[in-house]
Amino acid sequence: MTDSLQTLVEGQDDLVHFLRNQQTGPNAYPGVPAEYSNWRNEQSAWAQKAVLFNQSYHMVDLEVSGPDAFAMLNHLGINSFKGFIPDRAKQWVPVTPDGYVIGDVILFYLEENRFNLVGRAPAIEWVEYHAQTGKWNVTVARDERTAVRPDPENRKSYRYQLQGPNAMKTLEAAMGETPPDLKFFHMTTLDIAGCKVRALRHGMAGQPGYELFGPWADRETVRQALIKAGEPFGLTLVGGRTYSSNTLESGWIPSPLPAVYSGEALKPYREWLTANSYEAKASIGGSYVPDSVDGYYLTPWDLGYGPFIKFDHDFIGREALEKMADQPHRKKVTLALDSQDVARVISSAFQKGDRAKYFEFPSAVYSMHPFDAVLVDGKQVGLSTWVGYSANEGRMLTLAMLDAEYAEPGTKVTLLWGEPDGGTSKPTVEPHIQVEIHATVSPAPYSEVARDSYADGWRTRKTA
């Protein structure tokens, strides 16, 4: 009987084949409609007016508390904790002993000796493992995402994202006073409709906004107050289809495969992870098929996290990253796909015989971890890992990581679209043929507003 990730891995003759044929589809966004209106208008609203994302359901929430909480999280992440104090937050990135990314989450420093980590499961499971097996004086409490919990309507906290040009006007109307002028990734406590609300100064796709969170029992009171306050300012509710496409403009790559499937040093961790863990259920898709699972592993530089690496503290993976630091690195970019080529791919659905892989709108993502090959004259020069359509830009875009010599804006490349041999047994992808789509290398974030608005190092290639 398979009872751990390690047992599952040992039972595979070809781990790449196994992960590519997993039956799991892309990450779900439960608890909200796919669309409140239509995804085109919902996309446009975050650039033109204001939107309210309901993030209360799809992310894992882990509280870490105790005298050693600060030291343990500092030891597990590449980020510096110098000057890190309560009412601050950061995008926190742990890596393996070999320096490859496990995942990333937003780390909230709530109060002395008390933190919250919010995001996908891999980074959170890494923390839970070390809390259980290490000598840290810490307590962890996991609030599981809705899709895999027995009581989906009983989470610990709600979480909303309010953003867009009119976000501050909406928040001011909801509060009845001017919101505090916070710096990026700073936090405070607000009062909305008689409820105490924690607020993180944040933004997505470069637009100003706050992430708002508080006790689950207050969720509807706060939500309705925000909706009412936003009516004069065109506040738009955003569904799951639109939410998943926001990353195309903001430049955050949400899909690194946790680099934990190989390596003797990680065997105890794989034995700790269950056969029902995120890693055991993960699926991979796309045209890129490496010889081993290690070919899917990504460094912090691949994802644009190079500025986060600070060698001012001892952390797992430090020695490996120090050796990598002076080596060539791939760079995160956006690929703007050629519109005529995209139209050609879409039009193949209106013929009998061979057809290209279907382009879903707005996010053309069919697995938990998409990986497509990027080519120049038939040579692979990088990977694309998120594809979709932006109504604001009027383009089909992908987030990609390219060898540095091909990463300059304006460089012409091709995206290899579709899986080899007609596809896999994944139920989310129909039989198809591979095609090449011309593309132009562009900045990441693609949105000019995002590039100009984000703090240095936040989802950009600036230095921190």
Side-chain angles (χ1 to χ4, degrees):
M1 179 178 177
T2 301
D3 57 4
S4 72
L5 177 65
Q6 177 62 21
T7 306
L8 185 69
V9 168
E10 290 175 346
Q12 307 308 316
D13 293 329
D14 185 339
L15 188 56
V16 170
H17 177 82
F18 172 77
L19 292 170
R20 288 179 56 80
N21 284 274
Q22 286 268 58
Q23 300 297 288
T24 316
N27 288 281
Y29 297 91
V32 297
E35 298 169 291
Y36 283 93
S37 54
N38 67 82
W39 60 261
R40 283 82 63 200
N41 285 355
E42 291 173 13
Q43 280 190 344
S44 298
W46 72 56
Q48 298 174 8
K49 296 179 182 178
V51 294
L52 184 64
F53 293 112
N54 190 343
Q55 302 172 309
S56 304
Y57 302 97
H58 72 276
M59 295 184 289
V60 184
D61 188 318
L62 185 74
E63 182 173 306
V64 181
S65 58
D68 292 342
F70 185 101
M72 183 184 76
L73 293 170
N74 192 26
H75 175 67
L76 297 180
I78 66 176
N79 313 72
S80 175
F81 275 30
K82 286 188 176 180
F84 194 34
I85 60 175
D87 272 341
R88 301 288 189 273
K90 62 175 70 242
Q91 188 176 8
W92 183 80
V93 182
V95 299
T96 67
D98 291 328
Y100 294 103
V101 172
I102 294 170
D104 70 305
V105 294
I106 301 301
L107 172 63
F108 298 81
Y109 197 168
L110 299 176
E111 58 189 53
E112 199 69 33
N113 298 327
R114 181 167 168 255
F115 299 81
N116 229 37
L117 294 90
V118 180
R120 290 191 177 184
I124 285 172
E125 290 168 341
W126 184 246
V127 174
E128 289 179 303
Y129 168 72
H130 285 279
Q132 280 190 23
T133 61
K135 297 181 180 180
W136 306 101
N137 185 3
V138 298
T139 300
V140 296
R142 179 166 174 161
D143 187 28
E144 188 57 86
R145 63 196 188 278
T146 296
V148 293
R149 63 183 299 136
D151 54 346
E153 288 298 328
N154 191 30
R155 295 209 63 180
K156 179 180 178 181
S157 304
Y158 67 82
R159 198 166 296 274
Y160 302 134
Q161 177 83 18
L162 177 67
Q163 73 166 75
N166 292 342
M168 293 301 117
K169 294 177 182 178
T170 298
L171 188 57
E172 181 173 1
M175 294 173 57
E177 60 181 301
T178 302
D181 185 16
L182 292 180
K183 292 183 179 180
F184 194 76
F185 264 33
H186 286 222
M187 291 192 292
T188 189
T189 301
L190 310 175
D191 187 293
I192 298 177
C195 300
K196 294 297 181 184
V197 178
R198 295 299 292 268
L200 168 69
R201 175 68 176 85
H202 192 6
M204 296 172 73
Q207 296 294 345
Y210 276 100
E211 185 165 315
L212 307 169
F213 57 101
W216 186 251
D218 294 344
R219 69 190 186 282
E220 197 59 24
T221 300
V222 174
R223 181 174 176 269
Q224 291 301 327
L226 291 168
I227 291 172
K228 182 177 179 181
E231 286 178 359
F233 309 112
L235 180 69
T236 299
L237 301 182
V238 170
R241 292 183 72 182
T242 304
Y243 180 81
S244 68
S245 68
N246 183 275
T247 192
L248 291 165
E249 294 179 32
S250 69
W252 171 59
I253 295 177
S255 52
L257 184 75
V260 301
Y261 295 90
S262 57
E264 191 65 23
L266 291 173
K267 183 177 180 180
Y269 182 53
R270 292 192 296 273
E271 292 173 337
W272 179 87
L273 286 168
T274 73
N276 288 317
S277 63
Y278 178 104
E279 293 81 356
K281 300 296 185 181
S283 60
I284 295 175
S287 61
Y288 174 59
V289 185
D291 293 331
S292 72
V293 71
D294 298 54
Y296 289 119
Y297 296 169
L298 304 175
T299 73
W301 291 279
D302 290 332
L303 298 166
Y305 297 159
F308 294 170
I309 304 170
K310 300 299 179 186
F311 299 118
D312 61 2
H313 65 295
D314 289 326
F315 61 90
I316 294 176
R318 173 175 172 166
E319 183 177 350
L321 292 182
E322 285 178 325
K323 292 178 180 178
M324 292 182 193
D326 294 329
Q327 297 176 5
H329 303 295
R330 290 183 292 203
K331 293 186 177 180
K332 181 175 68 173
V333 302
T334 306
L335 301 183
L337 302 189
D338 181 83
S339 296
Q340 290 186 343
D341 279 3
V342 171
R344 175 172 53 86
V345 168
I346 294 172
S347 69
S348 72
F350 300 96
Q351 65 186 33
K352 293 185 177 181
D354 292 338
R355 296 172 179 171
K357 189 168 77 168
Y358 181 69
F359 261 127
E360 182 64 85
F361 282 74
S363 293
V365 176
Y366 307 96
S367 62
M368 292 167 66
H369 301 281
F371 287 90
D372 289 308
V374 180
L375 312 173
V376 171
D377 296 329
K379 170 189 173 184
Q380 183 169 329
V381 299
L383 296 171
S384 161
T385 185
W386 202 266
V387 187
Y389 175 79
S390 166
N392 292 310
E393 303 295 342
R395 295 294 293 268
M396 188 69 74
L397 306 173
T398 88
L399 298 177
M401 302 157 285
L402 303 185
D403 296 343
E405 63 185 290
Y406 300 98
E408 288 303 311
T411 303
K412 302 299 182 181
V413 298
T414 58
L415 173 74
L416 184 58
W417 179 246
E419 300 180 336
D421 303 319
T424 64
S425 66
K426 286 193 300 295
T428 52
V429 179
E430 76 287 0
H432 59 271
I433 62 169
Q434 285 186 317
V435 296
E436 291 189 16
I437 301 174
H438 292 88
T440 302
V441 176
S442 306
Y446 191 79
S447 165
E448 184 177 355
V449 173
R451 293 198 301 275
D452 292 343
S453 300
Y454 283 143
D456 285 354
W458 169 253
R459 300 187 181 176
T460 70
R461 292 190 346 226
K462 302 175 186 176
T463 57

